[in-house]
Amino acid sequence: MQIQVIPTIIVVAYLVGMMLVGLIVGKLQIKDSKDYMLAGRRMGLFMVAFSLSANNIGGGSTTGLAQKAFGDWGMSAVWYVLAASVAMIPLAYFAPRIRETMAVTIPEVVGRRFGEKSSIFTAVLSILSLFCLTSSQIAASGSVVSTLTGIPTNVALVVAGLVVILYTTFGGMIADQISDLVQFIIILVGLAIATPFVLEGCGGWEAISAALPPVQLDFTKIGWVTIIGYIFNYFCTFLAGPEMVSRFETAKDEKTARNASFLSAVLMAAMSFFPTLIGLAALAVQDTLPNLSADGSNAMMAVASVHAPEIVVGLISAAIICATMSSADSNLLCMSTMVMNDIYLKFGGAKRLSEKQIITYTRACNVAAALIAMGISMAGISIVTMNTFAFGIRCAGPFAAYGLGLIVPRATRHSGIASLAAGTVGFCFWQVLSGGGFLFGILPVVFGCAVGVLAFFLVNLIEWKAGVKPAPSAYTEK
């Protein structure tokens, strides 16, 4: 395979830049574990909002979105990301409450309310899911590097993994959020610049739309049941998502956390159209794309390589790799933070470690976890399969215990424990029954969350009538 010189230079410059960010931040900004894990709780509106957006926009929201537009979804593929934008609006109600807990992780809050066993169970589910998510994003990043340079995929996976290890391990959450800011700007601006070039290279929008069946241009082709299902899916995964919650915890105050949710909704809505249009362009001129895969999985790169200048291909490549790495670094840091905060320190480690040692141990967790994730990424497991399992297993159980635990002060301890178990079992049941897809318009993660919510309120109603005392507050530790 011939090396694409300009795109490779752009991507290499980006990778080097990210490593420098990590090294500089680690040297100048990391003073204690709060700096490393939570950016000192001093992040402003734009840092939090762009970081939230970058974490939501992964490989599936760029190349995957273009693939859906190329396939059966057509123009309605825009809802794959636009639904996430809509889901950020109700999340703004929870954002200030998340920040008010002054916690580090979701398991910490669940443990305050419902006991140590519930905290450990939540931590195990989250850590397992974050391994899968980190692996899938490293795999996606490696595939981009491999496509551009022609080096073997496994070698490219190692390169991508090492870059993620370096800037996340050295710089912690501060470097993570700085890189998220840069990454989302590259994604948004890069695709905004590249899309008109691709469309013009394919003959312009009039020619593209004329070459497509009218149904492919239907904004609601997938149906409102599916669209609403995706909105609920995103809301559930966001509210119980460790990387999302950690961003709200880094905000300098509750107002910043709330406003960041609204701004992130706007940013993601703006981004959703560009990959969709590129995917439709690829569908319209597919006969001119010699390297196009049968399923359209590389539709974005295939159409850009043929119908856009080389520098535009570089911008798209940088946008794709930014999308994948912005998710990988956050998943990795959340995973190592939970291992330290909710497992090691909870079982006596805090008595033996200084602040400097906590940072060192967390960095070591980063490296170990990333190396394991790199190994998993080389196993060739479907990225979609890993992501579907990971998002469901981490939030179906904790959704009610964490989210409702923040806003139902009279909740009893048993209600949280019951919802954790019921939500997890509900997800697994619907995952098997539905094959991981929509069944009666319901995704497995939404079904699991609904079962958890039902169990939460049923146990509460029973115990409230029995006079059972409420669980401790989620906000007791400031």
Side-chain angles (χ1 to χ4, degrees), residues 53-70 73 77-82 84 133 136-141 143-144 187 191 230 234 271-272 274-276 296-297 300 319-328 383-385 387-388 391:
S53 303
N55 278 283
N56 293 335
I57 304 300
S61 302
T62 48
T63 55
L65 183 53
Q67 180 183 3
K68 287 183 178 297
F70 178 88
W73 287 35
V78 71
W79 283 104
Y80 191 68
V81 174
L82 196 58
L133 291 170
S136 69
Q137 297 302 334
I138 289 176
S141 301
S143 67
V144 176
I187 295 168
L191 290 177
Y230 269 108
Y234 283 120
M271 205 290 302
S272 63
F274 300 124
T276 303
S297 58
M300 181 180 284
I320 294 171
I321 202 165
C322 282
T324 55
M325 285 196 170
S326 64
S327 299
I383 292 176
V384 174
T385 299
N387 284 354
T388 301
F391 282 123

Side-chain angles (χ1 to χ4, degrees), residues 372-384:
I372 295 171
M374 286 164 60
I376 295 172
S377 70
M378 294 181 186
I381 302 172
S382 166
I383 292 176
V384 174

Side-chain angles (χ1 to χ4, degrees), residues 13-31:
Y14 157 75
L15 295 176
V16 172
M18 289 300 97
M19 287 190 289
L20 288 175
V21 167
L23 291 170
I24 293 171
V25 169
K27 187 72 173 178
L28 301 179
Q29 296 292 322
I30 304 300
K31 307 301 182 185

Side-chain angles (χ1 to χ4, degrees), residues 202-224:
C202 294
W205 179 246
E206 288 188 8
I208 292 169
S209 57
L212 296 173
V215 69
Q216 288 295 97
L217 302 177
D218 185 353
F219 188 64
T220 59
K221 180 186 176 184
I222 57 175
W224 282 108

Side-chain angles (χ1 to χ4, degrees), residues 87-110:
M88 290 299 297
I89 297 173
L91 193 65
Y93 171 77
F94 290 88
R97 289 161 176 79
I98 292 170
R99 175 59 176 78
E100 188 182 350
T101 65
M102 296 295 286
V104 178
T105 64
I106 289 175
E108 181 180 343
V109 174
V110 172

Side-chain angles (χ1 to χ4, degrees), residues 259-305:
N259 292 341
S261 187
F262 287 127
L263 179 55
S264 176
V266 174
L267 293 170
M268 286 193 292
M271 205 290 302
S272 63
F273 288 90
F274 300 124
T276 303
L277 293 174
I278 293 175
L280 288 172
L283 179 61
V285 298
Q286 57 183 308
D287 293 338
T288 68
L289 309 178
N291 296 320
L292 179 67
S293 61
D295 61 355
S297 58
N298 67 338
M300 181 180 284
M301 290 296 293
V303 70
S305 298

